[in-house]
Amino acid sequence: SEQEGMNLLLTESDLPSNHPLAKNVSAAKLVKKCLYHPITVKFVGRWLNLKRITSGGMKGFDETLKEINNALKDVDQSTNAVDVLYAVLNGACSPLIKGKASQIIKLCFAAFVTVFCNESSSAAVPVEVATGFFLKVVENLGDVLSKEDPLYQSHGRQSTKLVPEILGALGVFNITKHSTKTLSGEKETSIQIDHELVRCFGEHIVNKDNSMRHL
């Protein structure tokens, strides 16, 4: 329902239930555009929260909601829940830097799915392994990215360290600490993909995303 969708949006945006966003018309439209699908609303909420944090609170909610709505304009009339979900994930994983979308997050995610989650979304990969893997992926395409990608241009190879952080904040990656079998009993941090539809989005990037064809 509309009310449940709005409540979930507020929860995932880390906002109290009495926040003014609850009565915001643009937010209500956004929840409707998500077809009230819980997983899609969840990612919109996480995306909204991430944009709020990364702007240092400089952007108002109206501006942020407008940016998100613009990113979803291709699915305005869609009744296909998967198409809308993929549009949300595509926008959330293509952060705008100085007005230009970065492809690094999507690139690393698609490579992660291809290598570690080919059959199932349940594989747990240590963060150190994933971060080293992302570094190799980006280094292999450094020539292209240095000319075209705003995140690479601003952070270089260090941009790969942001990948687990951003995907974790969005809820695309579930990052957990668990005890290892070492004598010291140290805790290891691992990455997993929580939902099969999210894994399928990685395959969708590889097979259908025209913006990634030249990479």
Side-chain angles (χ1 to χ4, degrees):
S1 74
E2 185 175 339
Q3 190 56 53
E4 286 172 338
M6 186 58 78
N7 290 343
L8 183 59
L9 182 71
L10 290 165
T11 300
E12 297 295 341
S13 303
D14 203 20
L15 297 169
S17 58
N18 60 352
H19 191 276
L21 193 70
K23 304 261 192 282
N24 186 293
V25 175
S26 295
K29 281 183 183 169
L30 196 51
V31 171
K32 185 179 180 184
K33 195 181 287 189
C34 292
L35 307 174
Y36 308 113
H37 199 289
I39 189 171
T40 311
V41 174
K42 167 194 157 177
F43 286 125
V44 167
R46 294 293 189 92
W47 185 11
L48 182 62
N49 191 40
L50 184 64
K51 285 175 85 67
R52 192 165 56 102
I53 292 165
T54 52
S55 73
M58 298 300 288
K59 285 184 179 175
F61 278 107
D62 284 334
E63 188 181 350
T64 306
L65 287 166
K66 188 178 176 186
E67 280 183 17
I68 293 176
N69 267 307
N70 282 344
L72 303 181
K73 61 180 182 292
D74 288 348
V75 289
D76 269 349
Q77 307 302 319
S78 179
T79 55
N80 184 315
V82 173
D83 285 350
V84 178
L85 173 65
Y86 284 3
V88 167
L89 288 169
N90 185 61
C93 294
S94 310
L96 291 176
I97 296 154
K98 294 179 181 170
K100 188 177 180 186
S102 170
Q103 302 290 345
I104 284 180
I105 310 294
K106 272 202 309 187
L107 171 69
C108 288
F109 177 66
F112 181 91
V113 167
T114 303
V115 171
F116 296 109
C117 310
N118 204 9
E119 299 295 325
S120 154
S121 60
S122 61
V125 180
V127 166
E128 293 79 9
V129 172
T131 306
F133 172 71
F134 296 148
L135 184 58
K136 284 196 175 69
V137 169
V138 167
E139 280 179 341
N140 285 343
L141 293 163
D143 289 347
V144 178
L145 294 170
S146 63
K147 293 189 187 81
E148 297 185 10
D149 197 277
L151 186 59
Y152 190 89
Q153 287 164 350
S154 62
H155 287 75
R157 294 162 71 244
Q158 295 296 315
S159 56
T160 55
K161 291 183 178 176
L162 297 172
V163 173
E165 286 180 31
I166 290 172
L167 291 175
L170 287 170
V172 172
F173 279 168
N174 181 20
I175 301 177
T176 54
K177 283 193 173 177
H178 51 89
S179 297
T180 58
K181 291 175 182 172
T182 58
L183 291 172
S184 62
E186 287 178 9
K187 292 208 164 190
E188 182 177 72
T189 306
S190 292
I191 290 172
Q192 267 183 303
I193 294 172
D194 258 0
H195 203 288
E196 181 63 13
L197 276 173
V198 178
R199 185 187 74 81
C200 291
F201 171 64
E203 293 182 343
H204 171 79
I205 296 171
V206 174
N207 298 320
K208 303 273 177 66
D209 192 332
N210 291 327
S211 68
M212 307 289 282
R213 284 285 153 84
H214 65 294
L215 294 176

